[in-house]
Amino acid sequence: MAGNPEKKEHLYKILVIGELGTGKTSIIKRYVHQFFSQHYRATIGVDFALKVLNWDADTIVRLQLWDIAGQERFGNMTRVYYKEAVGCFIVFDVTRASTFDAVVKWKTDLDSKVQLADGSPVPCVLLANKCDQAKEGLVNNSNQMDDFCKEKGFIGWFETSAKENINIDDSARFLVQRILENDSNIKRDEEDQDRITLGSKQSEIKSPKEKGGCC
């Protein structure tokens, strides 16, 4: 019997950004290690985590999660941190409306510093974290949140709780699905462009009978 063909493997860099204390590190720890603690220290600079997904029978997805400190906002280093990212979570704390007010600034900073290979914005999901607690502001109105995300260029939003493990896996799967679709579309466009370029070059080569002039 012939063995199964090798699985396709993808490695994707995903950013996790937002204001200080919104629970970015807790979300990553819950997603990667299925672990929660009340006693995280503030992230300094940037931290990393790796999540491996057996996406389907033919595909393995490796996610490199970049946990970027809230106080890094608009610093000179964010351009370096954002480089080559293909997906992003922006996190705010539903118990502090001020962290939601900063979401647009984070999104604007992201869009100004990194794009996909085709020039389109990096797909970004908004996470309304700590939803197991009392909520403040716009997050209490799901229709207005839908409109906000559409207007500001988010592909979607989820209420999450790292503590209670609410929507952590679902939000990640939603983002990875979009990343895979974008990856497939970009590769198809590149292949189409290569075919067009190759076809153009071949059409420029004349047969001996077509060559004019005299020896």
Side-chain angles (χ1 to χ4, degrees):
M1 287 179 64
N4 291 330
E6 289 187 10
K7 289 188 175 185
K8 291 183 289 185
E9 294 196 22
H10 302 275
L11 175 63
Y12 295 131
K13 176 178 175 179
I14 294 179
L15 307 174
V16 185
I17 59 179
E19 292 293 275
L20 183 68
T22 54
K24 301 182 295 295
T25 301
S26 294
I27 287 171
I28 291 172
K29 294 289 188 187
R30 171 62 79 180
Y31 182 52
V32 175
H33 304 295
Q34 294 301 311
F35 174 79
F36 177 81
S37 171
Q38 299 277 13
H39 306 294
Y40 291 123
R41 293 180 178 179
T43 302
I44 305 299
V46 63
D47 201 358
F48 309 91
L50 183 69
K51 175 76 170 181
V52 180
L53 301 173
N54 290 301
W55 186 256
D56 57 31
D58 304 315
T59 312
I60 294 174
V61 176
R62 301 180 192 275
L63 304 180
Q64 191 181 62
L65 298 155
W66 285 52
D67 179 5
I68 297 174
Q71 62 267 39
E72 290 289 332
R73 179 162 54 120
F74 321 133
N76 293 329
M77 287 301 293
T78 55
R79 189 177 298 277
V80 178
Y81 297 154
Y82 293 172
K83 187 178 181 182
E84 297 180 351
V86 295
C88 180
F89 293 110
I90 295 181
V91 185
F92 74 96
D93 178 348
V94 299
T95 72
R96 293 186 290 142
S98 61
T99 63
F100 177 75
D101 295 337
V103 160
V104 174
K105 294 177 183 177
W106 279 100
K107 182 71 163 64
T108 301
D109 188 55
L110 174 75
D111 290 344
S112 70
K113 292 177 178 174
V114 64
Q115 293 84 34
L116 299 181
D118 62 358
S120 60
V122 169
C124 191
V125 174
L126 182 60
L127 300 184
N129 196 36
K130 306 185 185 180
C131 70
D132 55 291
Q133 301 180 37
K135 295 179 282 187
E136 288 183 2
L138 191 68
V139 70
N140 285 296
N141 188 316
S142 60
N143 289 333
Q144 288 185 13
M145 283 293 293
D146 290 342
D147 293 340
F148 173 85
C149 287
K150 191 177 297 183
E151 178 186 342
K152 303 303 180 185
F154 290 93
I155 64 170
W157 71 283
F158 290 81
E159 289 188 333
T160 57
S161 169
K163 181 179 180 181
E164 302 297 335
N165 197 16
I166 297 171
N167 283 338
I168 304 296
D169 288 347
D170 289 347
S171 58
R173 189 167 187 86
F174 178 77
L175 179 59
V176 172
Q177 181 68 53
R178 178 61 65 89
I179 291 170
L180 286 166
E181 290 170 2
N182 286 343
D183 203 19
S184 177
N185 291 338
I186 289 171
K187 285 178 180 175
R188 186 164 58 246
D189 289 344
E190 288 174 349
E191 289 170 359
D192 289 345
Q193 188 63 42
D194 288 344
R195 279 197 290 271
I196 292 169
T197 303
L198 182 60
S200 298
K201 287 180 179 177
Q202 288 177 334
S203 67
E204 291 169 4
I205 301 173
K206 294 182 178 180
S207 67
K209 291 182 180 179
E210 291 175 315
K211 292 182 178 178
C214 57
C215 297

